[in-house]
Amino acid sequence: MARMEIYKNYTKQQLEELGSDAVIELFLSQQNQLKELDRKMQLILEQMVTSNRARFGRSSEKIAVEGQIRFAEVDGTIVFFNEAEAVRDADGSDTETDEDRKTRKPPVKVKGQKEQALSQLPARRIDHDIPREELENLFGSDGWKRLPDEVYRRLEFIPSKVEVEEHHVAVYAAKDESRMEKAKHPAYLLRNSLVTPSLLAAIINGKYVNAVPLYRLEKEFERYGIPVTRQNMANWVIQCSERYLSVFYDYLRKKLYTFPVIQADETHVDVTKDGRNAGAESWMWVYRTGSLYDDGAIVLYDYQKTRKTDHPLEFLKDFQGVCVTDGYQVYHSIEEQKEDLKIAGCWAHARRKFYDAEQTVPKKIRNKCTAHLALRQIQAIYREEKHLKDLPAAERLELRKRCVKPLVDAYFAWVKQETAGVLEGGILWKALQYSRNQEKYLRVFLENGEVPMDNNASLSEQYTYPHLFEKIPTCRAFFEKRCG
């Protein structure tokens, strides 16, 4: 039979002349074409919704919380997870209604909190008294008594003070000029330079903690009458970092290797004037100790111009243990090359895929869609894991096997069942496939009580680099110690 012209406009008479077999063939052909067209239209609509949400929507992944289901607890606060940051609250509503305002309770004030904060600051007493002559005019001779003073406090801001350290080093020599001796004096950070530990600490704090550009710091120093240019500051930071901080970095790297569980992630950064064409992507890799350790985190950054396997392979070459990461294939390749390295997956990434899929569904039916059901199951896993946060690793592992593992097993069984009836290539299909492909890695936390369920700790570190120091005194003390 000749190939039918399925896109031709047929009249009723022409269809009657074709015969039943030809009409059936025509109908089936058009049905398949329409099905394929419908699939492509759904994919296009998903892409449009995702693109608009990325451009105009909020970046958080907040969803309604029903019953007792919650996400994991971070620093004492119940939060939702996403790759960028944790959401501030977990009540799931974006706007406040009149009814909410009526029933909302005022925040609870902690008694004595302000007094405790003020007690940590140096205080300067200022007395205000009435002259004796004025008291005699008011009350007569000896007609008064003094009551307890009325006391109030105010905070006074004192701008930075800059002084010149003029070191006079005594120099002695033997009369026969056979020997010369200098008095002991502090070493310098950089020879023949004006920089001191306190000045360098202020520059690092301003630039890398408060994100103040060097040209603004230059203007600030100008207002103090100090001849410090941005070129001076750049040279001081680079040279002192290479001379002093690199030693500290190497020490922390060796210390990091002693932990059985670490976390890793990478994010692209824009770097100009590095010899490449404009728009070339650079990468900042972050490595940190596992978030379940209580003795303080070690966080290290490794800047690279590419995202190749060579970089994490070089950094992790001496590490033996578990590394928690996202689903980036590079980490899985490293695991195959290193027998003493095991990669654990991140449930926050698995959850994020379903959140993106849920946002493509109309709000009226969103709480009944497949993506929402996946989110509820992942929330239930987080809810059980939250109760185990403060337990020892051995006890946490035992309870994970008893309380968390059945939920994980049920989740993956559900994922495999749901994948069959989902539009192939769509966002939901990709979310289901991600969980299926990452199952081996997402289950690792069930085998080791020291492995966290997700990689959120290292994800949050991406947006704080390089936070070498939190306070100027800490930075100053470090450089003072390093320069003797």
Side-chain angles (χ1 to χ4, degrees), residues 250-280:
D250 292 339
Y251 167 78
L252 290 178
R253 183 170 174 174
K254 292 180 181 179
K255 186 73 173 177
L256 182 72
Y257 292 155
T258 65
F259 286 80
V261 178
I262 66 173
Q263 299 178 234
D265 202 63
E266 76 290 332
T267 186
H268 73 271
V269 292
D270 295 327
V271 178
T272 59
K273 299 181 181 179
D274 65 347
R276 294 181 295 166
N277 295 330

Side-chain angles (χ1 to χ4, degrees), residues 292-406:
L292 294 180
Y293 299 123
D294 299 327
D295 51 353
I298 296 175
V299 183
L300 299 178
Y301 297 92
D302 184 31
Y303 169 76
Q304 299 291 345
K305 291 184 179 181
T306 68
R307 204 185 182 193
K308 293 181 179 179
T309 309
D310 300 347
H311 308 312
L313 181 61
E314 172 64 23
F315 192 95
L316 298 172
K317 66 180 181 180
D318 295 326
F319 173 70
Q320 301 177 2
V322 179
C323 183
V324 185
T325 70
D326 57 17
Y328 187 30
Q329 186 60 36
V330 160
Y331 299 109
H332 303 159
S333 300
I334 297 174
E335 183 183 36
E336 295 174 358
Q337 299 178 47
K338 284 177 56 65
E339 295 181 356
D340 50 8
L341 176 67
K342 191 175 186 66
I343 297 297
C346 172
W347 279 88
H349 281 82
R351 178 201 175 276
R352 172 112 188 223
K353 306 291 183 183
F354 288 109
Y355 177 82
D356 292 340
E358 186 193 42
Q359 299 307 301
T360 65
V361 179
K363 289 186 178 181
K364 292 182 179 179
I365 60 172
R366 190 171 291 176
N367 61 353
K368 298 179 181 179
C369 69
T370 302
H372 186 79
L373 295 177
L375 290 173
R376 307 310 299 178
Q377 293 183 70
I378 295 176
Q379 282 182 318
I381 297 171
Y382 269 110
R383 176 194 63 198
E384 295 301 324
E385 175 67 16
K386 179 189 68 174
H387 302 312
L388 314 179
K389 178 183 176 183
D390 299 323
L391 299 178
E395 188 175 351
R396 183 186 299 118
L397 177 60
E398 184 63 29
L399 290 175
R400 275 177 176 175
K401 292 179 178 179
R402 188 188 312 169
C403 304
V404 181
K405 186 177 182 298

Side-chain angles (χ1 to χ4, degrees), residues 50-57:
T50 303
S51 177
N52 288 335
R53 186 172 64 84
R55 185 177 180 184
F56 303 110

Side-chain angles (χ1 to χ4, degrees), residues 93-246:
S93 79
D94 289 328
T95 57
E96 186 179 40
T97 63
D98 292 337
E99 187 64 27
D100 293 334
R101 281 189 285 271
K102 292 178 182 179
T103 59
R104 183 183 61 189
K105 296 181 180 180
V108 179
K109 294 183 178 181
V110 180
K111 190 174 182 180
Q113 188 176 21
K114 183 173 72 173
E115 294 295 325
Q116 182 180 2
L118 293 177
S119 66
Q120 306 299 321
L121 300 173
R124 177 169 58 93
R125 175 168 172 160
I126 303 175
D127 290 312
H128 306 278
D129 208 343
I130 302 176
R132 183 178 182 87
E133 296 78 6
E134 187 174 342
L135 288 173
E136 290 179 350
N137 292 334
L138 292 171
F139 301 105
S141 180
D142 294 329
W144 68 87
K145 62 179 180 178
R146 183 162 182 166
L147 302 176
D149 292 348
E150 176 187 347
V151 180
Y152 65 88
R153 299 181 186 182
R154 297 291 185 270
L155 287 174
E156 181 181 6
F157 175 75
I158 302 175
S160 301
K161 183 177 71 171
V162 181
E163 295 179 338
V164 176
E165 290 184 348
E166 189 174 271
H167 294 267
H168 292 255
V169 182
V171 182
Y172 298 89
K175 290 185 177 180
D176 60 1
E177 298 183 355
S178 61
R179 181 182 178 185
M180 186 177 68
E181 191 71 27
K182 289 184 180 181
K184 292 183 178 180
H185 59 280
Y188 41 76
L189 287 176
L190 299 174
R191 187 176 182 84
N192 298 326
S193 173
L194 291 174
V195 67
T196 61
S198 61
L199 179 57
L200 182 61
I203 294 170
I204 290 179
N205 182 75
K207 171 62 179 173
Y208 298 110
V209 177
N210 296 328
V212 180
L214 289 180
Y215 77 89
R216 292 187 182 175
L217 290 176
E218 181 182 40
K219 294 298 182 182
E220 183 72 14
F221 284 126
E222 281 183 9
R223 286 189 282 271
Y224 288 115
I226 306 174
V228 175
T229 66
R230 69 192 79 174
Q231 288 79 14
N232 292 146
M233 291 183 277
N235 288 327
W236 293 343
V237 170
I238 292 173
Q239 292 184 49
C240 289
S241 296
E242 292 175 347
R243 185 175 299 185
Y244 304 109
L245 292 182
S246 61

Side-chain angles (χ1 to χ4, degrees), residues 20-75:
S20 60
D21 292 339
V23 172
I24 291 173
E25 181 186 354
L26 176 63
F27 176 79
L28 292 176
S29 300
Q30 289 183 332
Q31 187 181 47
N32 293 333
Q33 292 290 336
L34 289 172
K35 186 181 295 184
E36 178 63 18
L37 181 62
D38 180 65
R39 188 184 75 84
K40 292 181 178 179
M41 286 296 296
Q42 289 188 48
L43 293 177
I44 292 172
L45 289 173
E46 283 186 353
Q47 292 173 3
M48 289 178 59
V49 172
T50 303
S51 177
N52 288 335
R53 186 172 64 84
R55 185 177 180 184
F56 303 110
R58 66 184 185 207
S59 60
S60 67
E61 298 177 10
K62 182 162 43 175
I63 63 174
V65 179
E66 301 170 3
Q68 296 181 340
I69 296 180
R70 296 289 190 274
F71 277 133
E73 188 172 326
V74 177
D75 295 334

